[in-house]
């Protein structure tokens, strides 16, 4: 596959599926779906690495910069409150590791932590499986496709749309019938919550769900929720809802694509 100036590849990796998109920084072109591949093995790292190798080989990806977006099922994301008096990165890393063990019941040895470390306010942390990351890096190196970025889907989506969030708004991402919400206060994420969407989840359900989460977190109920991803069609009429204004972000992108292809597109600037 011949590469032009400004073009790059985006790969979505989910349990049992990988998808490859071609994007360009110039010309305003939408991402182009190049290939998809389903595989056995679910979230097993070797199965994922084998599928990724076949995907990149088939596309002729040599010398194409690659961004990888991991499905949130493959990672762990949580919020950390910095200890009082924290002054060193080591203090914040220790607090994140302790919180991880409390939440997930295991040490962080098998996980690589990435965060917006902040000693002054709560910060978001993502844990990525070390073995899977090593295999992904090996596959990209073997295909001579430089890996320029790797991020969980929720992080990629939030980074893409955070500039569009007005004061008082929360952010949500819908993928595979799961809504993940970032509760935001004073411009910072205070908590991340994920919930399966029930059948027929309409705007009334959404407003009630957000209100319950705000109550649990002891936060003010937001006036607005900005949602990206594959949101239910009924939410498109949510801007005028009396309890919660719902604004959909980038909903035209990837119409008709599979969940994995939409995963790959998350965070794309085009």
């Amino acid at each position: 596959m011949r590469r032009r100036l400004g073009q790059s590849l985006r790969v979505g990796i989910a349990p049992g599926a990988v998808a490859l998109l071609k994007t360009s920084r110039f010309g305003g072109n939408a991402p182009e779906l190049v290939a998809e591949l389903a595989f056995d093995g679910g979230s097993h790292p070797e199965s994922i690495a084998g599928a990724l190798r076949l995907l990149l080989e088939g596309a002729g990806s040599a010398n194409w910069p690659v961004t990888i977006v991991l499905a949130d099922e493959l990672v762990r994301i949580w919020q950390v409150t910095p200890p009082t008096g924290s002054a060193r990165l080591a203090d914040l890393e220790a607090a994140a590791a302790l919180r991880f063990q409390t939440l997930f019941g295991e040490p962080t040895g098998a996980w690589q932590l990435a965060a917006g470390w902040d000693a002054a306010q709560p910060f978001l942390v993502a844990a990525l499986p070390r073995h899977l990351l090593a295999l992904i890096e090996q596959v990209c190196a073997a295909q001579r496709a430089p890996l320029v970025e790797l991020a969980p889907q929720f992080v990629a989506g939030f980074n893409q749309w955070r500039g569009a969030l007005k004061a008082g708004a929360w952010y949500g991402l819908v993928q595979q019938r799961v809504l993940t919400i970032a509760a935001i206060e004073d411009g910072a994420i205070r908590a991340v919550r994920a919930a399966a969407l029930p059948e027929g989840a309409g705007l009334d359900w959404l407003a009630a769900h957000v209100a319950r989460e705000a109550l649990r977190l002891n936060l003010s109920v937001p006036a607005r929720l900005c949602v990206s991803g594959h949101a239910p069609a009924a939410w498109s009429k949510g801007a005028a809802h009396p309890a919660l204004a719902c604004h959909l972000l980038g909903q035209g992108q990837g119409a008709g694509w599979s969940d994995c292809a939409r995963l790959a597109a998350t965070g794309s600037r085009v």
Side-chain angles (χ1 to χ4, degrees):
M1 187 166 56
R2 185 175 181 180
R3 176 176 177 256
R4 296 179 180 176
L5 182 65
Q7 289 185 320
S8 61
L9 299 177
R10 299 183 68 86
V11 177
I13 296 179
V18 289
L20 180 67
L21 305 182
K22 179 170 64 175
T23 66
S24 176
R25 288 183 294 145
F26 307 120
N29 296 322
E32 176 186 338
L33 179 59
V34 176
E36 295 183 80
L37 178 64
F39 60 91
D40 296 326
S43 58
H44 195 275
E46 277 73 15
S47 298
I48 291 174
L52 177 61
R53 176 181 56 79
L54 291 174
L55 192 74
L56 295 178
E57 277 183 353
S61 60
N63 301 316
W64 281 75
V66 175
T67 293
I68 289 181
V69 184
L70 293 177
D72 290 339
E73 301 99 300
L74 298 173
V75 304
R76 293 175 177 175
I77 300 174
W78 72 104
Q79 196 76 2
V80 175
T81 300
T84 302
S86 299
R88 303 177 303 158
L89 177 59
D91 298 330
L92 303 179
E93 291 174 334
L98 180 61
R99 183 63 176 157
F100 179 93
Q101 188 158 1
T102 300
L103 290 172
F104 305 112
E106 63 174 294
T108 59
W111 301 81
Q112 180 172 311
L113 305 189
W117 309 104
D118 194 325
Q121 61 183 354
F123 53 89
L124 195 66
V125 186
L128 312 175
R130 290 185 186 276
H131 184 44
L132 176 59
L133 292 182
L135 291 175
I136 289 173
E137 290 170 352
Q138 291 171 13
V139 170
C140 290
Q143 298 301 315
R144 295 183 291 116
L147 179 60
V148 296
E149 184 180 0
L150 187 149
Q153 183 180 19
F154 180 79
V155 173
F158 179 72
N159 287 341
Q160 178 183 9
W161 296 110
R162 64 191 308 171
L165 303 180
K166 296 181 180 179
W170 286 12
Y171 170 73
L173 182 143
V174 177
Q175 177 73 356
Q176 292 187 321
R177 301 292 300 174
V178 173
L179 169 64
T180 304
I181 289 177
I184 301 172
E185 184 181 57
D186 298 329
I189 296 179
R190 298 304 179 190
V192 176
R193 294 286 189 268
L197 293 179
E199 288 298 323
L203 290 167
D204 290 339
W205 175 89
L206 180 63
H209 174 70
V210 170
R212 285 193 300 269
E213 292 299 334
L215 182 62
R216 291 190 182 105
L217 297 167
N218 196 27
L219 296 174
S220 299
V221 178
R224 182 182 297 106
L225 179 69
C226 297
V227 180
S228 68
H230 194 207
W235 294 7
S236 64
K237 300 179 181 180
H241 192 275
L244 178 72
C246 177
H247 296 268
L248 302 187
L249 305 168
Q251 292 299 302
Q253 188 180 63
W257 284 359
S258 68
D259 285 329
C260 194
R262 286 193 292 264
L263 166 68
T266 306
S268 171
R269 303 295 179 181
V270 181

